Amino acid sequence: MKITRKYALGIIGLGHMGTAIARGAVRKEYIERYRIAVYDHSEHAKRDCLIEGFDNLEHIEDLVNQSHIVLLAVRPQQIEGVLEKIQNCDINTVLSIVTGVSIAHLQESLHNVPIIRAMPNTPLQINEGATALCMSKNCKADDYDFVFQLFASMGVTKTVKESQMDDIVAVHGSTPAYVYYFVHCILEDAKQRGIDEDVARALLVQTIIGAGKLMQNSADKSLQDFISEVCSEGGTTIEAIHTLEKENMKQIIHDANEKCIHRAKELGK
């Protein structure tokens, strides 16, 4: 893709995800650091830009007018103020990671500019992210491919329908927290049984990594087959699984996801 503007990527809001995307792009040599600009006046952003070699611009209009892709990486509660500030800028393409904010709303506010929506997750920080993408009808194929490959360089990237973007938050967007909470519960139980926390954590974290890699390496294998491999008839694990089934873990997960998705839709209103 030919980039005619000074910056390939202009980032509005250098929080955890904005930082992860910028650092990942540089680490993977996808974008040179001098082609990244930031608009964020917080002290941590100024410090990080100085360390990373990103331009931290004083005026948001300068960032938007000089950037090929403008990344909106602010909280949902801040998005309206940002859209108001940039609505009359010369925008090429907007990439939004703001939860719940639709392409239609962004285009209505920004005079129908091309939009790409992304739902990444926090493991992007270590180039092990999972990202869902969708785009507006007027988005250029080259721009979409540029963004797709950017996220693909930092993990797994999939294209989805925009109608699924709120629902998919419960598939990969919020679920790292589910995993951490699951780990927390097992560790708390282990400590109650007198097991050393450091020992339990090391074994448990490696178990999750190993189980994930097994699923990744055998994508055509059913999850039930993986479960059955661990659950010997009359053994220990099958008793635990029966308990989870009896307590209706599926329904608990469904209810949690319903709340998660409902909040995503609320944030977009």
Side-chain angles (χ1 to χ4, degrees):
M1 181 185 72
K2 185 177 180 180
I3 297 174
T4 56
R5 302 196 181 194
K6 181 177 181 180
Y7 302 108
L9 182 66
I11 304 172
I12 300 175
L14 200 66
H16 292 303
M17 291 309 307
T19 301
I21 292 167
R23 286 177 176 167
V26 170
R27 262 198 311 264
K28 290 295 183 177
E29 298 183 345
Y30 194 74
I31 302 175
E32 294 175 281
R33 62 182 72 246
Y34 72 89
R35 301 299 302 274
I36 296 176
V38 172
Y39 175 79
D40 187 326
H41 293 164
S42 66
E43 289 304 316
H44 84 82
K46 292 176 183 177
R47 182 185 64 248
D48 288 351
C49 286
L50 190 62
I51 293 170
E52 299 290 343
F54 305 144
D55 283 354
N56 193 343
L57 303 187
E58 183 70 22
H59 302 291
I60 195 170
E61 296 86 356
D62 291 339
L63 177 134
V64 174
N65 291 333
Q66 297 181 70
S67 298
H68 191 83
I69 304 290
V70 177
L71 170 60
L72 302 180
V74 297
R75 293 190 295 273
Q77 296 84 353
Q78 298 174 301
I79 188 63
E80 294 308 319
V82 170
L83 294 178
E84 186 175 346
K85 288 179 180 178
I86 68 173
Q87 62 181 338
N88 294 318
C89 292
D90 179 20
I91 304 172
N92 180 67
T93 300
V94 165
L95 166 61
S96 172
I97 61 169
V98 184
T99 301
V101 181
S102 69
I103 287 174
H105 181 73
L106 293 170
Q107 289 194 313
E108 182 181 358
S109 301
L110 301 176
H111 311 298
N112 204 40
V113 301
I115 306 289
I116 301 170
R117 281 186 67 188
M119 175 68 69
N121 62 14
T122 54
L124 206 71
Q125 297 172 34
I126 57 167
N127 297 325
E128 292 290 349
T131 304
L133 291 177
C134 64
M135 66 176 178
S136 62
K137 291 181 179 179
N138 63 342
C139 184
K140 295 177 182 176
D142 283 353
D143 287 345
Y144 186 74
D145 186 61
F146 177 82
V147 171
F148 187 98
Q149 296 303 328
L150 168 64
F151 285 108
S153 72
M154 295 179 267
V156 173
T157 305
K158 297 292 183 181
T159 299
V160 301
K161 298 175 183 177
E162 195 196 6
S163 60
Q164 298 173 327
M165 283 296 281
D166 288 337
D167 289 355
I168 212 159
V169 68
V171 174
H172 75 290
S174 296
T175 41
Y178 296 16
V179 175
Y180 305 143
Y181 184 65
F182 177 70
V183 169
H184 170 75
C185 291
I186 293 180
L187 285 180
E188 288 298 303
D189 188 65
K191 287 193 295 182
Q192 289 179 18
R193 299 175 193 283
I195 300 173
D196 180 83
E197 182 176 2
D198 290 340
V199 170
R201 177 166 174 158
L203 292 172
L204 180 54
V205 170
Q206 182 56 43
T207 297
I208 291 171
I209 292 170
K213 286 184 176 179
L214 271 176
M215 288 190 290
Q216 189 178 53
N217 292 341
S218 303
D220 57 340
K221 188 174 179 178
S222 75
L223 293 178
Q224 189 56 53
D225 284 343
F226 282 112
I227 295 169
S228 298
E229 284 182 357
V230 190
C231 295
S232 303
E233 190 65 35
T236 58
T237 310
I238 193 67
E239 291 299 317
I241 294 297
H242 284 161
T243 300
L244 295 176
E245 290 173 341
K246 183 180 178 181
E247 295 296 326
N248 207 348
M249 187 173 180
K250 281 185 180 180
Q251 188 62 45
I252 292 171
I253 294 297
H254 174 78
D255 291 345
N257 285 344
E258 284 289 298
K259 293 288 187 180
C260 181
I261 294 165
H262 178 72
R263 182 56 179 157
K265 294 181 187 298
E266 279 186 336
L267 290 171
K269 291 180 179 179

